[in-house]
Amino acid sequence: MNIAILGGTGDEGLGLAMRFALAGDQILIGSRSQERAEQAAQTVRDTVPSAAVSGRANEDAAASADIVILSVPYGGQRATLESLATILQGKTLISVVVPLQFGKGGPHAVRVAEGSAAEEARAILPDVAIASAFHNLSATKLMDVQSDLDCDVVVCSDDAAAKRLTMELAETMRGVRALDGGALAYSRYVEDLTALILAMNRRYKAHASVRFTNLTVPEVAPIDGQRS
Amino acid sequence: MNIAILGGTGDEGLGLAMRFALAGDQILIGSRSQERAEQAAQTVRDTVPSAAVSGRANEDAAASADIVILSVPYGGQRATLESLATILQGKTLISVVVPLQFGKGGPHAVRVAEGSAAEEARAILPDVAIASAFHNLSATKLMDVQSDLDCDVVVCSDDAAAKRLTMELAETMRGVRALDGGALAYSRYVEDLTALILAMNRRYKAHASVRFTNLTVPEVAPIDGQRS
């Protein structure tokens, strides 16, 4: 699949690019600066020599992709989405955005009027199929491509096809189990959990992620959440 | 230790009572009705024959305990704490309260003005040492005392002694690892996560809990969070 990663020059975006490239997907790293996007693509190739990856300006990356992963800082989400509104029609958008603020009390989640960053994205682009996922993955662990990950990826969406596609994409990463987190309104719990994880990472000098125990996924996973 | 469990007649409180009784603690189950508290104590004895447990009215249970666990529905928190304000002075209060609402879209976290149920409790009782913990444990798994649990318990507090005591208490349960979740301001991420877990429990017919992966606890766990 052709996957654009907007904000792909940040650590989280780079790590996702490496993992998806490893799984054989065609990756387009998007940035406001084409030059920085090309540098990021080279970083991916340095780590994953087999990677099919190129760097583009955000709009070019999004235009050429079937799946667009949004991995920009929360503060840049609105401007990025508004500038790409026409290009994103008909594509699947996967939000990795976590609304965080870093104060003297440590990292904390910002309260979003729409409920979550993902629901704010939907309010900006009401006709685009949106899922949210990959919030709780450690960038460090993602970029350590020799090691399997050890985590669940909770996927939230109101669009059944987008949810299924995102869960399938998550499970192409070694060591990842995809879980149906329900409607996009559940995204805030997954987004906000990132603040706790980042604070514990500092305390325990860790790169933590999360697993849900006592939860077995049936052979054919149930997917709910029709577009409402 | 003498542990009072207020709201100990609900499933979560009963499950905690069974696990702590199993660990050898003296349990006082509190309820607004002494009769229902005594019935709950009998239920604990039926499951854990060695249990040192008795049922009391809430105020009698709290008065006789060193540690008071608050396991009432969020809607009953304020009235319960206000009525026990004098009795709770000098004790350690552990909040298990999760502010939940159940609508047609499934269980969701209620936004609390103070940030979390635990911070609201502190606003009501500013001079009581408060920790929050045990939110993400399945009542069903707690009551299945033959089986070890398989989860982490994240403890949040601004009081170092209350945090340490609560972490030690958590680790008396077989299969539990206690984690320092930081200040009480981090409680909302742990409380709110319960909504996601309950929704996934319905979807996957599970009794899920949570583990943080890629996080190792040193032999002597670092505890931060002095009373500020």
Side-chain angles (χ1 to χ4, degrees):
Chain A
M1 284 187 287
N2 279 336
I3 302 175
I5 303 180
L6 309 184
T9 59
D11 281 353
E12 195 79 16
L14 269 176
L16 290 171
M18 290 172 186
R19 291 282 171 170
F20 293 134
L22 206 61
D25 293 305
Q26 309 269 325
I27 308 298
L28 297 153
I29 291 190
S31 169
R32 281 177 298 181
S33 148
Q34 179 166 353
E35 188 184 345
R36 286 197 295 126
E38 286 172 354
Q39 288 166 355
Q42 187 56 48
T43 303
V44 173
R45 271 189 295 270
D46 290 345
T47 305
V48 183
S50 65
V53 58
S54 55
R56 306 273 177 85
N58 276 332
E59 50 271 36
D60 293 341
S64 306
D66 310 306
I67 299 174
V68 177
I69 296 179
L70 186 67
S71 180
V72 298
Y74 173 64
Q77 164 170 290
R78 180 171 293 276
T80 302
L81 292 181
E82 286 176 347
S83 70
L84 300 175
T86 307
I87 290 170
L88 291 171
Q89 297 301 317
K91 303 186 188 292
T92 298
L93 183 71
I94 303 174
S95 172
V96 188
V97 177
V98 175
L100 285 177
Q101 58 190 349
F102 295 84
K104 66 183 168 67
H108 273 290
V110 179
R111 294 205 163 172
V112 176
E114 290 82 356
S116 60
E119 288 164 282
E120 184 184 303
R122 185 176 54 188
I124 297 168
L125 301 174
D127 297 324
V128 173
I130 297 180
S132 88
F134 306 117
H135 310 87
N136 301 327
L137 299 180
S138 151
T140 302
K141 291 287 179 186
L142 283 171
M143 292 192 280
D144 176 18
V145 295
Q146 302 306 318
S147 302
D148 287 7
L149 299 169
D150 177 12
C151 60
D152 292 336
V153 166
V154 178
V155 179
C156 300
S157 182
D158 296 324
D159 183 289
K163 184 185 284 181
R164 184 176 293 277
L165 182 64
T166 306
M167 291 177 73
E168 288 170 357
L169 190 64
E171 295 210 329
T172 65
M173 295 186 189
R174 292 196 318 265
V176 165
R177 177 176 70 163
L179 292 176
D180 179 356
L184 208 61
Y186 280 88
S187 185
R188 79 171 160 109
Y189 310 117
V190 192
E191 294 175 19
D192 289 4
L193 183 61
T194 310
L196 176 69
I197 291 174
L198 291 179
M200 292 204 298
N201 281 348
R202 285 188 191 179
R203 188 169 303 115
Y204 288 105
K205 304 188 196 325
H207 302 286
S209 195
V210 70
R211 284 277 194 198
F212 291 88
T213 55
N214 300 313
L215 189 163
T216 307
V217 176
E219 284 295 308
V220 177
I223 308 273
D224 66 18
Q226 301 302 313
R227 181 181 277 271
S228 55
Chain B
M1 286 186 288
N2 279 336
I3 302 175
I5 304 180
L6 309 185
T9 58
D11 281 352
E12 195 78 16
L14 270 176
L16 290 171
M18 290 173 187
R19 292 282 170 170
F20 294 134
L22 206 62
D25 293 304
Q26 308 268 325
I27 308 298
L28 298 152
I29 292 189
S31 169
R32 283 178 297 183
S33 149
Q34 179 167 354
E35 188 184 346
R36 285 197 295 127
E38 286 172 354
Q39 287 167 355
Q42 187 56 50
T43 303
V44 172
R45 271 189 297 271
D46 290 345
T47 305
V48 183
S50 65
V53 57
S54 56
R56 307 272 179 84
N58 276 333
E59 49 270 37
D60 294 342
S64 306
D66 311 304
I67 299 173
V68 177
I69 295 180
L70 185 66
S71 179
V72 299
Y74 173 65
Q77 165 169 288
R78 180 171 291 277
T80 302
L81 292 180
E82 286 177 346
S83 70
L84 300 174
T86 307
I87 291 171
L88 291 172
Q89 298 301 316
K91 301 185 189 294
T92 297
L93 182 71
I94 304 175
S95 171
V96 188
V97 176
V98 176
L100 285 178
Q101 58 189 351
F102 295 84
K104 66 181 168 65
H108 272 290
V110 178
R111 294 208 163 170
V112 176
E114 291 81 358
S116 60
E119 289 164 282
E120 183 183 303
R122 184 176 55 188
I124 298 168
L125 301 173
D127 298 325
V128 173
I130 297 180
S132 88
F134 305 118
H135 310 88
N136 302 328
L137 299 178
S138 152
T140 302
K141 292 287 178 186
L142 284 170
M143 292 192 279
D144 177 17
V145 294
Q146 302 306 316
S147 301
D148 287 7
L149 298 169
D150 177 12
C151 59
D152 292 336
V153 165
V154 178
V155 179
C156 300
S157 181
D158 297 323
D159 184 288
K163 185 185 283 182
R164 185 176 292 277
L165 182 64
T166 305
M167 291 178 72
E168 288 171 356
L169 190 62
E171 295 211 329
T172 65
M173 295 185 188
R174 292 196 318 266
V176 165
R177 176 176 72 163
L179 292 177
D180 180 356
L184 208 60
Y186 280 88
S187 185
R188 77 170 161 110
Y189 310 117
V190 192
E191 295 176 18
D192 289 3
L193 184 60
T194 311
L196 176 68
I197 291 173
L198 291 179
M200 292 203 297
N201 281 348
R202 286 189 190 177
R203 188 169 305 116
Y204 288 104
K205 303 188 196 329
H207 302 287
S209 195
V210 71
R211 283 277 195 201
F212 292 87
T213 56
N214 300 314
L215 189 163
T216 307
V217 176
E219 286 294 309
V220 176
I223 308 272
D224 66 18
Q226 302 301 314
R227 178 180 281 271
S228 56

